[in-house]
């Protein structure tokens, strides 16, 4: 395909790509530095933040503490959570929650005027803040979007696809956008922040919006940025079985309040699998449901034990989705399936969100902070986006390279649009679901890599979402093949136990494969 010329160039202090919670927090906290906030849909739309039914985990209860939050987070992380990062998040949580309330987020309150705190899987305390019941994400996006639109230092570029990063002299100096009119725009900046979210749409069943195609990961990898923990993909246990895409989520808060998982005979089965039953870590519950369904045994979430007059107001999104499916939670067991929900891996960052390449920062789901380890504790994701979006802003301010230093490239920029072939997305989603999903093996992963490589060759060179999803699929499968053990959300049927030799993080950097242990910035190169 013929290359095209970038027809517009703009300069700014900071480019933030992505308008979910992480992107908007970063942009707001960069004030008064000029920011261009770029999003491939409308601001706040098309993000997992907007769809989030769960809440924000924070140790604000009288019986709670950051130390207890640390214990719960690291217990679920199966030995791969970095204590330094976990401590930063849990200790910063109360102050950042206050900041959210100050900008207008309306969290649910109890009868005494304090936060109404919920409980979710693997939490030892009630520490989940919600807003409008199960519409926490929607409320967060509402308040942040208003603040962003009212901020004079932020300019918003909507409905433009960030196609690639610009790299010069071993530094990221901006990004190239595919404009909604078909032209190309190059943004030149001292600092570029990727807050592009997750990868759920590369799987056949997901709770993520269609925009979650791993664009930031693919752009960063092409630029030689270090990636980490790509094999860890969390599947939510309880998506509502339907013909919708994405699948409607049945929030974990339902099980936190006492909803039960049952089979087609009405029997609870989680009691025989884990001491915490329905509130076991997500990977345990997800695999249990997967196993039942592989045996053609339907699984249901029974909400009748917690049904009362307040249920519709506490879980309005659940009620809406159930009504659309012709179900009544007051009497009907709700059919559930597992679905790709959250990507733990991503761009390897330090505690302030710096990547391995100067000028590039990352926060939110696109980043691998080493916080979640091998499995994410429920409701830590919105908190992570909030905390580390804030830290990226502080880090950029401390870099003292602003305002824009005038390193605008004089060369003409040429870009090559990617080829688009019907069915590529569906093909990748099927490969990832069948071969790189909840259960993996050397055989399934090698077949996946072969099939993805063939699709990559079919697409050829060029910039497109299709190219991105193939690239990200390869990175996940490649890392999953290297980690020869089962740990957290990564489960190998040919290596069913955890192995202390893999108490480390797998990193990919171009053709280099290595491992990093806690507190180490240097990679130990390993064979594949």
């Amino acid at each position: 395909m013929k290359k095209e010329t970038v027809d517009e160039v703009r300069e700014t202090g900071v480019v933030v790509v992505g308008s979910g919670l992480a992107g908007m927090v970063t942009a707001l906290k960069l004030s008064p530095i000029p920011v261009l906030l770029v999003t491939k849909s409308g601001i706040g739309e098309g993000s997992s933040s907007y769809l989030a039914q769960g809440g924000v985990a924070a140790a604000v209860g009288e019986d709670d503490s950051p130390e207890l939050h640390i214990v719960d987070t690291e217990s679920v992380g199966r030995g791969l959570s970095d204590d330094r990062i976990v401590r930063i998040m849990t200790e910063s949580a109360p102050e950042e929650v206050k900041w959210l309330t100050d900008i207008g987020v309306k969290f649910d309150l109890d009868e005494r005027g304090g936060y109404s705190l919920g409980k979710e899987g693997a939490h030892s305390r009630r520490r989940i803040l919600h807003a409008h019941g199960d519409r926490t994400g929607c409320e967060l996006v509402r308040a942040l979007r208003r603040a962003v639109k009212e901020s004079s230092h932020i300019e918003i570029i909507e409905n433009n696809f960030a196609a690639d990063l610009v790299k010069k002299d071993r530094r990221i100096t901006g990004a190239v956008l595919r404009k909604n009119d078909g032209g190309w725009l190059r943004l030149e900046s001292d600092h570029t922040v990727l807050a592009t979210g997750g990868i759920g749409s590369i799987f056949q069943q997901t709770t993520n919006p269609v925009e979650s195609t791993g664009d930031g990961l693919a752009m960063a990898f092409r630029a030689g940025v270090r990636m980490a923990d790509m094999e860890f993909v969390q599947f939510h246990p309880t998506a509502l079985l339907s013909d919708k895409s994405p699948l409607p989520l049945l929030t974990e808060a339902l099980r936190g309040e006492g909803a039960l998982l049952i089979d087609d005979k009405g029997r609870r089965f989680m009691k025989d699998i884990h001491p915490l039953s329905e509130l076991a870590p997500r990977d345990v519950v997800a695999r249990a449901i997967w196993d039942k369904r592989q045996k053609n045994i339907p699984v249901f979430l029974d909400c009748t034990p917690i049904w009362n007059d307040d249920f519709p107001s506490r879980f309005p999104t659940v009620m809406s989705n159930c009504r659309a499916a012709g179900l009544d939670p007051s009497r009907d067991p709700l059919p559930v399936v597992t679905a790709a929900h959250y990507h733990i891996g991503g761009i390897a960052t330090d505690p302030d969100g710096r990547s391995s390449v100067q000028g590039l920062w990352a926060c939110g789901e696109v980043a691998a902070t080493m916080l979640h380890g091998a499995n994410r504790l429920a409701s830590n994701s919105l908190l992570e986006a909030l905390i580390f979006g804030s830290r990226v802003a502080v880090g950029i301010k401390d870099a003292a390279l602003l305002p824009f230093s005038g390193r605008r490239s004089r060369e003409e920029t040429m870009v090559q649009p990617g080829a688009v072939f019907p069915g590529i997305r569906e093909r990748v989603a099927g490969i990832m679901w069948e071969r790189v999903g909840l259960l993996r093996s050397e055989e399934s992963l090698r077949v996946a890599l072969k099939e993805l490589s063939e699709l990559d060759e079919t697409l050829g060179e060029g910039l497109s979402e299709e190219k991105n999803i193939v690239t990200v699929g390869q990175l996940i499968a490649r890392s999953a093949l290297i980690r020869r053990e089962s740990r957290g959300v990564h489960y190998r049927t040919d290596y069913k136990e955890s192995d202390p030799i893999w108490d480390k993080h797998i990193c990919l950097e171009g053709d280099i494969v290595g491992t990093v242990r806690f507190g180490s910035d240097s990679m130990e190169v390993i064979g594949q």
Side-chain angles (χ1 to χ4, degrees):
M1 183 173 287
K2 184 179 178 181
K3 290 188 177 181
E4 299 177 3
T5 304
V6 169
D7 53 358
E8 184 182 355
V9 179
R10 296 185 59 184
E11 299 177 359
T12 188
V14 181
V15 171
V16 176
V17 184
S19 67
L21 178 59
M24 288 196 285
V25 167
T26 303
L28 284 168
K29 294 207 170 188
L30 279 166
S31 176
I33 294 167
V35 176
L36 277 175
L37 180 61
V38 179
T39 175
K40 69 178 180 180
S41 56
I43 182 171
E45 301 170 4
S47 68
S48 292
S49 299
Y50 183 80
L51 296 179
Q53 293 180 29
V56 179
V60 295
E62 294 178 359
D63 65 342
D64 204 359
S65 69
E67 290 295 331
L68 289 173
H69 195 175
I70 289 172
V71 170
D72 292 346
T73 298
E74 295 186 351
S75 174
V76 167
R78 297 290 306 277
L80 288 185
S81 296
D82 188 326
D83 183 73
R84 173 183 55 165
I85 303 299
V86 178
R87 187 170 296 278
I88 286 171
M89 183 193 72
T90 59
E91 291 181 350
S92 302
E95 180 182 350
E96 293 295 340
V97 165
K98 181 180 183 301
W99 179 79
L100 286 176
T101 60
D102 288 344
I103 67 167
V105 174
K106 301 184 185 302
F107 287 111
D108 294 338
L109 304 178
D110 60 23
E111 61 277 1
R112 297 179 300 171
Y115 293 122
S116 178
L117 301 174
K119 189 176 182 183
E120 294 180 358
H123 286 274
S124 61
R125 296 290 187 273
R126 299 184 75 89
R127 66 166 63 99
I128 316 301
L129 293 90
H130 290 91
H132 307 302
D134 59 9
R135 291 180 174 169
T136 308
C138 182
E139 169 62 11
L140 289 172
V141 168
R142 178 201 65 78
L144 288 167
R145 180 166 50 199
R146 184 186 65 183
V148 165
K149 289 185 174 181
E150 292 175 353
S151 297
S152 59
H153 73 287
I154 301 173
E155 181 181 348
I156 303 165
I157 301 179
E158 297 180 292
N159 303 306
N160 280 238
F161 172 59
D164 214 8
L165 296 172
V166 178
K167 189 176 183 182
K168 185 180 180 183
D169 300 328
R170 292 183 294 179
R171 179 185 176 91
I172 301 301
T173 59
V176 174
L177 311 184
R178 180 72 165 183
K179 298 189 292 185
N180 55 10
D181 63 4
W184 295 92
L185 167 63
R186 188 178 78 227
L187 303 177
E188 289 280 344
S189 64
D190 279 307
H191 300 278
T192 301
V193 181
L194 291 180
T196 51
I199 51 90
S201 283
I202 74 170
F203 287 89
Q204 203 166 62
Q205 292 184 179
T206 182
T207 61
N208 290 178
V210 67
E211 290 86 353
S212 296
T213 49
D215 301 319
L217 300 175
M219 288 191 291
F221 183 72
R222 287 194 295 268
V225 177
R226 181 179 299 172
M227 320 300 287
D229 293 342
M230 291 295 292
E231 67 272 28
F232 294 119
V233 181
Q234 186 178 71
F235 291 78
H236 201 287
T238 54
L240 180 65
L241 179 61
S242 76
D243 56 2
K244 286 188 174 182
S245 182
L247 289 173
L249 182 67
L250 295 177
T251 173
E252 190 157 322
L254 293 165
R255 284 177 283 132
E257 295 304 315
L260 304 174
L261 287 167
I262 59 175
D263 61 19
D264 56 335
K265 306 296 184 184
R267 293 181 296 222
R268 290 179 65 188
F269 56 89
M270 284 306 303
K271 291 195 301 180
D272 300 326
I273 295 173
H274 195 278
L276 294 177
S277 301
E278 281 81 4
L279 292 182
R282 282 183 177 176
D283 63 307
V284 176
V285 182
R287 282 195 296 274
I289 293 173
W290 174 270
D291 182 63
K292 291 286 185 185
R293 292 192 58 81
Q294 290 298 105
K295 297 173 181 176
N296 293 318
I297 300 174
V299 176
F300 302 87
L301 186 66
D302 182 9
C303 294
T304 59
I306 63 170
W307 179 267
N308 56 35
D309 291 342
D310 294 333
F311 188 99
S313 60
R314 292 176 64 198
F315 302 105
T317 306
V318 170
M319 286 298 301
S320 176
N321 288 329
C322 287
R323 289 190 184 110
L327 296 166
D328 183 349
S330 71
R331 64 170 189 267
D332 298 325
L334 309 177
V336 295
V337 293
T338 56
H341 183 62
Y342 186 88
H343 189 211
I344 291 169
I347 298 167
T349 62
D350 73 2
D352 294 322
R354 293 179 183 84
S355 77
S356 62
V357 176
Q358 192 176 13
L360 184 69
W361 309 67
C363 54
E365 193 171 350
V366 75
T369 60
M370 315 302 179
L371 165 69
H372 306 298
N375 191 15
R376 177 178 67 84
L377 183 66
S379 289
N380 268 355
S381 54
L382 290 176
L383 180 61
E384 179 191 27
L386 173 64
I387 299 299
F388 291 95
S390 298
R391 291 183 70 86
V392 165
V394 172
I396 290 175
K397 287 182 174 181
D398 288 346
L401 290 176
L402 298 164
F404 182 73
S405 60
R407 287 191 307 276
R408 174 171 168 172
S409 174
R410 300 290 181 182
E411 299 110 11
E412 183 178 63
T413 303
M414 303 293 291
V415 291
Q416 183 171 330
V420 178
F421 295 93
I424 288 284
R425 289 171 178 265
E426 292 76 12
R427 180 73 177 121
V428 173
I431 292 169
M432 296 301 293
W433 183 254
E434 294 295 332
R435 309 195 191 286
V436 199
L438 258 78
L439 306 184
R440 305 157 171 180
S441 68
E442 180 170 351
E443 179 183 5
S444 75
L445 292 167
R446 289 196 182 280
V447 171
L449 284 167
K450 179 178 180 296
E451 293 173 336
L452 291 168
S453 178
E454 291 170 352
L455 290 177
D456 199 31
E457 291 179 9
T458 299
L459 287 171
E461 299 298 324
L463 306 174
S464 67
E465 279 187 329
E466 285 76 13
K467 187 73 172 180
N468 289 345
I469 64 174
V470 171
T471 298
V472 173
Q474 290 174 307
L475 294 174
I476 293 171
R478 188 177 170 194
S479 293
L481 182 62
I482 293 168
R483 184 173 287 280
R484 294 184 294 277
E485 66 160 356
S486 291
R487 187 187 297 255
V489 297
H490 170 72
Y491 191 86
R492 290 276 298 260
T493 57
D494 47 353
Y495 295 95
K496 295 184 179 180
E497 302 298 326
S498 297
D499 188 338
I501 197 173
W502 291 106
D503 288 351
K504 51 192 175 184
H505 302 272
I506 295 171
C507 298
L508 303 175
E509 193 171 319
D511 293 329
I512 300 172
V513 180
T515 59
V516 172
R517 295 187 183 275
F518 298 138
S520 173
D521 293 324
S522 60
M523 278 207 303
E524 171 195 359
V525 179
I526 62 172
Q528 298 186 59

